[in-house]
Amino acid sequence: MTVTEIIHLNAQSPDEDKIARAAAFICAGEVVAFPTETVYGLGANAFDAEAVEKIFAAKGRPAHDPLIVHIGAVDELSLVTKDIPDFAVRLASHFWPGPLTLVLKRQPVIPLNVSAGLETVAVRMPNHPIALALIRASQTAIAAPSANLFSGVSPTSAQHVLADLNGRIPMILDGGRTLVGVESTVIDCTSWPPVVLRPGGIGLEELREFLGEVAVHSGEKGGMQVSASPGMLDKHYSPRARLFYCLTEREELYRDYFQTEMTAQLRSGHKVGMLVTSEDQPWLSELFPGIEQILLGSEKEPQQIAAGLYAALREMDERQVDCIFVRDIGTEGVALAIRDRLIRAAYEVKRFSDHQL
Ligand code: TXA
Ligand code: MG
């Protein structure tokens, strides 16, 4: 068993010697977990097929699920991709560093296991000083999926990574909690209009405003449900507890659902937890006093909710609840990514006929 070392770093100005040690691991074909602005990644040299293989092994990730290649500068895009359309360069120049991943034609130097055998590869430049310092010190591109066990909840702190991968990887760079909290938006740029395959940190409105036209993968009906790209499984991001997700913003509907379903769960002797908005906290606390609850923030601030969502799901598992209740907060900005992840994480999605995207 590998001993997992945790290196504490200042997120804003990481210590160069510590980064150099981590980079030496990457150059030696090892894997290193590191923070990005979205979630923690588990990285390896993107040009080294054997090193990349270790990512799949550590996560228990199936080989058909392609990875994202992280680069340190916009002009490195041409090292890993080819036939780059003009609009993709504009997207990169505008949104990078940041939570936007571009799918483009793969340069043959990128090993096939990075992109699960596809002719395309996903690339992004992360907006995090530690991630960027690691990439630059390694003098390579770093392939990295989220640093969690396959199909589980993505990590937003070094402790989350440790909980999943202790003994399976040699090093975790600890830069504190990640700010965005959900993964990057993945957009397929191999055709026009480009197609959003996975909603994420950059909202659809922002992309549409910038490009004029952006398609959304056709599986999208009340959250991305059908796989757009390999590895986009319907069951994903799941806590151990059963997640009950009420997919409506209409107050009378979710109030009724919470009241009925939580009462039923409590009657069957289950330990219930709820993730609540500040708007719902007063009435829910009154109706269900003494129930495990975590405050996510105001529904008017989806960014705040996204930042704490994964930690809240993991925390509920630590509190050993049997089921978790949460409701929808719409589709604006990062809220669409929240909806997508909750649908995938859910044991039950309660839909209503009035529901529209
Ligand atoms: O924010 C993020 O994107 C984080 C941080 C670490 O950068 N990474 C992340 O990686 O979320 P991962 O592996 O958990 O999700 C990557 C997803 C894949 O599941 C797949 O759906 C999509 O990106 N993807 C990767 N390569 C692709 C390709 N060639 N074509 C279509 N989709 C691709
Ligand atoms: Mg992932």
Side-chain angles (χ1 to χ4, degrees):
M1 184 163 134
T2 314
V3 175
T4 304
E5 186 183 358
I6 301 179
I7 311 269
H8 298 281
L9 287 166
N10 182 310
Q12 289 317 309
S13 57
D15 182 278
E16 278 181 32
D17 293 340
K18 292 177 177 173
I19 290 289
R21 275 195 59 214
F25 268 84
I26 295 287
C27 296
E30 270 305 331
V31 294
V32 173
F34 62 96
T36 78
E37 79 279 34
T38 57
V39 301
Y40 274 68
L42 180 62
N45 181 354
F47 299 97
D48 179 346
E50 266 179 57
V52 167
E53 204 48 52
K54 294 181 184 171
I55 295 175
F56 288 92
K59 285 191 57 136
R61 181 173 172 124
H64 61 73
D65 195 354
L67 310 178
I68 294 172
V69 174
H70 296 70
I71 58 177
V74 175
D75 59 17
E76 287 168 16
L77 191 53
S78 55
L79 299 177
V80 289
T81 66
K82 58 179 188 179
D83 306 339
I84 309 165
D86 194 49
F87 74 84
V89 177
R90 287 176 50 226
L91 276 176
S93 308
H94 184 79
F95 289 100
W96 287 358
L100 183 68
T101 294
L102 310 182
V103 172
L104 288 160
K105 289 247 179 71
R106 178 175 58 87
Q107 283 284 13
V109 285
I110 296 294
L112 276 173
N113 61 353
V114 169
S115 61
L118 297 170
E119 285 306 309
T120 55
V121 65
V123 189
R124 83 180 190 98
M125 177 181 173
N127 186 16
H128 196 291
I130 295 176
L132 291 173
L134 179 66
I135 295 165
R136 286 168 189 161
S138 308
Q139 296 191 298
T140 186
I142 296 184
S146 49
N148 52 285
L149 285 173
F150 178 67
S151 90
V153 179
S154 295
T156 53
S157 74
Q159 288 67 40
H160 297 162
V161 180
L162 191 68
D164 277 19
L165 301 178
N166 191 14
R168 302 171 74 96
I169 59 173
M171 185 180 279
I172 301 171
L173 300 183
D174 182 354
R177 291 184 61 163
T178 63
L179 288 177
V180 177
V182 292
E183 298 82 349
S184 61
T185 302
V186 179
I187 185 166
D188 183 346
C189 296
T190 58
S191 58
W192 180 264
V195 185
V196 168
L197 304 179
R198 177 180 77 178
I202 303 282
L204 206 50
E205 306 87 345
E206 233 185 310
L207 291 170
R208 286 194 168 136
E209 195 180 326
F210 184 74
L211 284 181
E213 203 181 341
V214 172
V216 175
H217 181 257
S218 58
E220 171 73 354
K221 276 277 180 292
M224 306 229 162
Q225 278 220 88
V226 180
S227 290
S229 50
M232 285 282 280
L233 304 180
D234 282 355
K235 192 74 184 156
H236 214 141
Y237 311 98
S238 298
R240 185 194 46 75
R242 289 179 167 180
L243 183 73
F244 290 80
Y245 175 43
C246 188
L247 186 42
T248 179
E249 289 176 275
R250 278 182 50 195
E251 193 174 338
E252 71 276 19
L253 295 179
Y254 64 70
R255 271 192 185 233
D256 183 58
Y257 176 77
F258 277 151
Q259 201 157 345
T260 314
E261 288 303 319
M262 280 174 53
T263 304
Q265 289 293 329
L266 289 166
R267 284 218 179 102
S268 348
H270 290 147
K271 184 170 178 186
V272 174
M274 51 194 187
L275 307 185
V276 300
T277 62
S278 42
E279 287 79 7
D280 294 338
Q281 196 177 34
W283 69 264
L284 273 171
S285 302
E286 195 182 316
L287 208 56
F288 298 100
I291 277 189
E292 296 288 346
Q293 62 162 276
I294 294 174
L295 178 62
L296 291 176
S298 167
E299 63 182 317
K300 297 185 190 72
E301 291 176 50
Q303 288 184 340
Q304 191 194 343
I305 293 189
L309 181 67
Y310 290 159
L313 291 173
R314 283 176 178 261
E315 170 68 22
M316 279 298 176
D317 273 350
E318 291 208 344
R319 296 189 196 177
Q320 299 192 317
V321 301
D322 301 302
C323 48
I324 307 169
F325 283 82
V326 65
R327 65 129 167 131
D328 186 58
I329 57 153
T331 61
E332 213 181 299
V334 77
L336 184 63
I338 294 172
R339 176 185 285 183
D340 171 73
R341 305 307 188 270
L342 287 175
I343 287 175
R344 290 174 200 283
Y347 167 78
E348 176 180 292
V349 179
K350 176 62 184 172
R351 295 172 189 273
F352 297 86
S353 52
D354 75 309
H355 167 69
Q356 51 187 1
L357 189 67

